[in-house]
Amino acid sequence: MPEGDTVWQAARRLHDALAGQVLARSDFRVPKYATVDLTGRTVLGTTARGKHLLTRFEGGLTLHTHLRMEGAWKVYGPGERWRGGPAHQIRAILCTADRAAVGYRLQVLEFLRTGEEERAVGHLGPDLLGPDWNPDRALANILADPARPLGEALLDQRNLAGIGNIYKSELCFLIGATPWLPVGALPADRAAQLPGLAQRLLEANRERPVRRTTGLREHDLFVYGRAPRPCLRCHTPIRRADQGDGSRERPTYWCPVCQTGPAPAPGSRRVQGSRPRTTN
């Protein structure tokens, strides 16, 4: 599942390509909206809300999409071949006179009245890249369930919106706590750093084609995807295990020396030192 900075980039691409333009063609390849035709409507713009995309049209209509694990929006110029996947994976097409925005493998696609967008995104916590960002509220949300593992709390979009599995692993490394540490056991000074650190990481990466958390030219990430290679700080092999997020298991990476707190037992089937499998 894309991180918040990736979704922000997708929103900007859609906005730059479509905002202020009149649609020459629209096509929605899901049964519920197969007959919807927005031809002739002006696109007002696209914005990201956490990991959700909201594309607004004149007449008070919003297209709400979510990329989930494999979805993508691609933008093409006149005559350019569409390369986002086979045609049967296309779920939405928005064309102006000189651009085509094509949504592939979109797991969420629905229309809302623009005034009712909160039905889709009102449950989200403060958006790390949005105008509603509020670090105090985000921290209060995270600490509201002291027994919850830190990694799960960071992934919960109701606490703060925009963190995915990569940033979860990197944030836990940067504050020196394992993702299984109960949030209530996190020292107060480190807990207070979390929201600001998360916001700075996403803010720094939203313009970059390659995500980087280390500040090092040779290495982009501290732990994510690096098992069983050595930790960049202490040279202990990075470890990998699955951790739930409340809905499914996700691969999680940590350094057993630099990060304190509980972790799966070494003999657990869910602990691995191999190269990462396909992730979100």
Side-chain angles (χ1 to χ4, degrees):
M1 187 179 294
E3 312 276 325
D5 51 357
T6 302
V7 178
W8 185 92
Q9 291 171 8
R12 185 175 65 173
R13 286 195 300 273
L14 288 173
H15 185 86
D16 290 348
L18 303 177
Q21 303 298 310
V22 176
L23 289 180
R25 175 193 174 194
S26 72
D27 187 0
F28 304 100
R29 300 179 182 180
V30 295
K32 185 175 181 179
Y33 301 112
T35 61
V36 172
D37 184 5
L38 301 184
T39 301
R41 292 206 191 201
T42 299
V43 182
L44 302 181
T46 298
T47 189
R49 180 72 172 84
K51 299 182 182 183
H52 299 252
L53 289 162
L54 302 170
T55 301
R56 299 169 180 136
F57 306 90
E58 67 173 339
L61 192 65
T62 294
L63 173 63
H64 167 226
T65 57
H66 196 298
L67 306 181
R68 293 284 172 88
M69 289 293 291
E70 299 179 347
W73 276 102
K74 303 289 186 179
V75 176
Y76 303 104
E80 188 176 358
R81 185 170 66 88
W82 296 0
R83 303 178 304 278
H88 72 266
Q89 294 182 349
I90 295 174
R91 297 293 176 265
I93 300 172
L94 300 171
C95 294
T96 66
D98 60 358
R99 291 288 187 274
V102 185
Y104 291 88
R105 301 171 298 278
L106 301 174
Q107 298 301 303
V108 174
L109 187 158
E110 65 174 342
F111 282 99
L112 307 164
R113 302 307 303 177
T114 300
E116 299 176 353
E117 289 176 353
E118 288 300 292
R119 286 173 40 206
V121 297
H123 66 288
L124 298 175
D127 186 344
L128 284 152
L129 294 177
D132 69 319
W133 173 241
N134 184 324
D136 294 333
R137 181 181 161 207
L139 181 60
N141 291 345
I142 292 171
L143 298 178
D145 185 355
R148 193 174 194 187
L150 176 60
E152 291 185 20
L154 289 173
L155 283 179
D156 192 334
Q157 303 299 294
R158 297 169 298 181
N159 289 339
L160 67 174
I163 291 178
N165 215 33
I166 298 174
Y167 281 120
K168 175 197 78 172
S169 294
E170 295 295 294
L171 281 165
C172 288
F173 176 82
L174 288 168
I175 65 164
T178 71
W180 293 271
L181 182 74
V183 294
L186 189 65
D189 59 335
R190 283 191 273 174
Q193 296 173 25
L194 262 178
L197 179 59
Q199 199 274 339
R200 289 194 299 274
L201 285 180
L202 268 73
E203 185 74 26
N205 281 288
R206 68 177 185 175
E207 303 279 356
R208 293 174 178 166
V210 177
R211 185 178 292 114
R212 178 170 292 174
T213 63
T214 65
L216 304 173
R217 181 173 299 178
E218 301 84 359
H219 303 284
D220 295 325
L221 302 174
F222 281 109
V223 292
Y224 188 86
R226 299 195 68 251
R229 285 171 283 177
C231 173
L232 298 179
R233 287 181 177 170
C234 73
H235 307 295
T236 301
I238 296 298
R239 298 178 68 186
R240 173 194 178 278
D242 288 341
Q243 182 184 40
D245 69 343
S247 63
R248 67 178 183 277
E249 299 295 307
R250 294 168 180 254
T252 299
Y253 299 84
W254 80 103
C255 173
V257 172
C258 293
Q259 294 171 252
T260 59
S268 170
R269 290 181 301 171
R270 292 162 59 186
V271 178
Q272 302 178 22
S274 59
R275 298 292 181 185
R277 65 187 181 187
T278 301
T279 67
N280 64 351

